[in-house]
Amino acid sequence: RDWSSDVCSSDLSSGINAEYGGEEEEEEESDEEFEDVETESTVPEQDGDYDVNFDEEIEAEELRKFREANENEEFPDEIDTPTDIPARIRFQKYRGLKSFRTSPWDAKESLPLDYARISQIQNFNNVRKYLLKSESQKEKCVKKGAYVSIFIADVPLSITESCCSALSVFSLLPHEQKMCVQHVVVQRHTQSDLIVKGKEAILAQVGFRRYVVRPIYSQHTKSSKHKLERFMPTTGSFVASYYAPITLQNCPVILFKQECNGSVTLLSTGSTLSCSPDRIICKRIVLSGHPFKIHKKTATVRYLFHNREDINYFKKIEVRTKFGRRGHIRDALGTHGHCKIGFDGPIQQNDTVIMCLYKRVFPRWEFQYS
C-alpha cells in the first residue's frame, strides 16, 4: 500500500477544508461587523437652524410652479386635447382667429359681473390732459416749493399715537376715487428670479398709494389685442392689469412679492399706462396633431381630436404647421378623431399640425389697501 499517496490526499483535503472554512469564518465575521455598524446623519453646527422654518406645502407649490414655468417656456401655450371630456365642451369659450392682429373682437362682448362695479372714462388721454391743465390754472392751488400749514380737526387720539411723526398729505383729482381697470408698464428687476404666476397676490406701490392686487400679465404691443402671459416675464417690458382706483397722473410703479413672514421682495418697476376696461387680453391655447399619412397636399392627421363631433365643431377654424403651412379640415375619418386636412403645399412627415384658439380673460377682483 502506498502510504505517501494517502498522506498527500489527506493533506490536500485538509488544506481545502481549511481554506474554505477560513473563508466562511471571514464571511461570518464580516456579516457580524456589518450588522453592528449604525449610520447617522450629522448636521454641521452652522446649518442647525436651516430647516426650522421649512414648510413642505409651500415647497411643493413652488416645485409645481417651477415645472409649469419650464413646460410653458419649452412648449408655449400647448396643451393636450382631453380624452375624458369632449373638446367642444372643454373649449366652448374659445374661438379661432384668422389673424390675431387684424381680426375683429368686440370689446363689450361677454363682460364679467365685476365690470358693473367700475367706471370708464371715454378718451382717457384727453380727459387727463384737460383735468391736469384746469387744476393747474386754479388760483387756490399751492405752488411747487411753497410751505403751508394744515390744521386737521377731530382727529382720534389713537391715530396720533400709532402714526409716526411724518405724514404724507395728498389730494385727489376728479374721478380718482372711482375704481377701474388699471394698466401699468413694468420691467423685471435684474436681481429678481422668483416665479410669479398670473393672478397671484402682488403688493403694488403706485404713486402715493399702496395696495394688494391680483394682476394678469400681457405683452406690450400697439395692436388692438394683446396676448396673455401665464407667468410674469423675466425679460423685456410687459403690462400688468388689475382693478384699482383711477390714476390720472403718470406715476411710478413698484411691484413687490409679499412673503408669509411679512417680508417683501422687489419684482419689477415701471410706470402707469392707462385706465381702460376696453383693453382686450387674450389667452391662447394650442392643440397639436400628428400627420401619419401624406399624399401631396393632403394629410391624414390624428391626435388633434378624439371623436367625430369635435372635428365637425372646429371644422371652420384654420390650422397650420410649425413649418409654416396653412390648411383647413376637409372631412372626418372614422369615429376616433382622424381627419383629412388640405394644405397650401406639401408637408413633411416630421411636421406638427396645430390649431390656435383664443378667449378673453379678465383680472381677478381683489383690492385691499396696505
Side-chain angles (χ1 to χ4, degrees), residues 77-210:
D77 303 326
E78 288 193 18
I79 63 173
D80 296 330
T81 305
T83 58
D84 55 343
I85 181 173
R88 62 187 182 277
I89 297 177
R90 172 63 179 83
F91 306 125
Q92 59 185 347
K93 294 183 179 180
Y94 291 82
R95 69 181 68 179
L97 296 177
K98 185 176 181 61
S99 174
F100 181 76
R101 186 178 61 89
T102 60
S103 296
W105 196 305
D106 187 8
K108 306 298 183 182
E109 176 186 357
S110 301
L111 298 179
L113 295 178
D114 293 334
Y115 267 47
R117 307 164 63 179
I118 64 176
S119 302
Q120 181 182 7
I121 299 178
Q122 297 291 343
N123 203 338
F124 179 80
N125 293 329
N126 290 347
V127 172
R128 176 171 57 182
K129 292 179 182 179
Y130 172 77
L131 291 177
L132 293 178
K133 184 178 180 179
S134 60
E135 289 291 331
S136 62
Q137 293 178 353
K138 289 183 178 180
E139 297 180 355
K140 296 183 180 180
C141 291
V142 179
K143 296 182 180 180
K144 294 182 180 179
Y147 290 90
V148 297
S149 298
I150 300 176
F151 299 92
I152 305 176
D154 300 332
V155 179
L157 184 61
S158 59
I159 296 180
T160 58
E161 293 177 352
S162 61
C163 67
C164 57
S165 58
L167 294 176
S168 299
V169 180
F170 53 86
S171 62
L172 296 179
L173 295 173
H175 311 298
E176 283 195 335
Q177 77 280 6
K178 302 176 182 179
M179 297 291 292
C180 190
V181 181
Q182 189 176 71
H183 311 286
V184 296
V185 181
V186 292
Q187 190 172 8
R188 196 70 178 265
H189 194 263
T190 55
Q191 297 181 355
S192 176
D193 57 352
L194 294 177
I195 299 176
V196 182
K197 195 174 182 179
K199 298 185 179 181
E200 282 191 14
I202 297 296
L203 180 62
Q205 178 74 45
V206 182
F208 53 83
R209 289 167 167 165
R210 177 179 292 185

Side-chain angles (χ1 to χ4, degrees), residues 270-311:
S271 60
T272 57
L273 177 62
S274 65
C275 293
S276 174
D278 289 342
R279 180 183 173 92
I280 300 176
I281 303 175
C282 296
K283 178 181 179 181
R284 185 185 72 168
I285 61 171
V286 178
L287 305 179
S288 58
H290 174 67
F292 73 105
K293 288 183 181 180
I294 300 175
H295 180 68
K296 295 183 179 180
K297 297 183 180 181
T298 305
T300 302
V301 180
R302 57 183 175 180
Y303 307 141
L304 187 62
F305 299 104
H306 298 294
N307 57 71
R308 190 183 187 92
E309 291 76 13
D310 290 343
I311 296 175

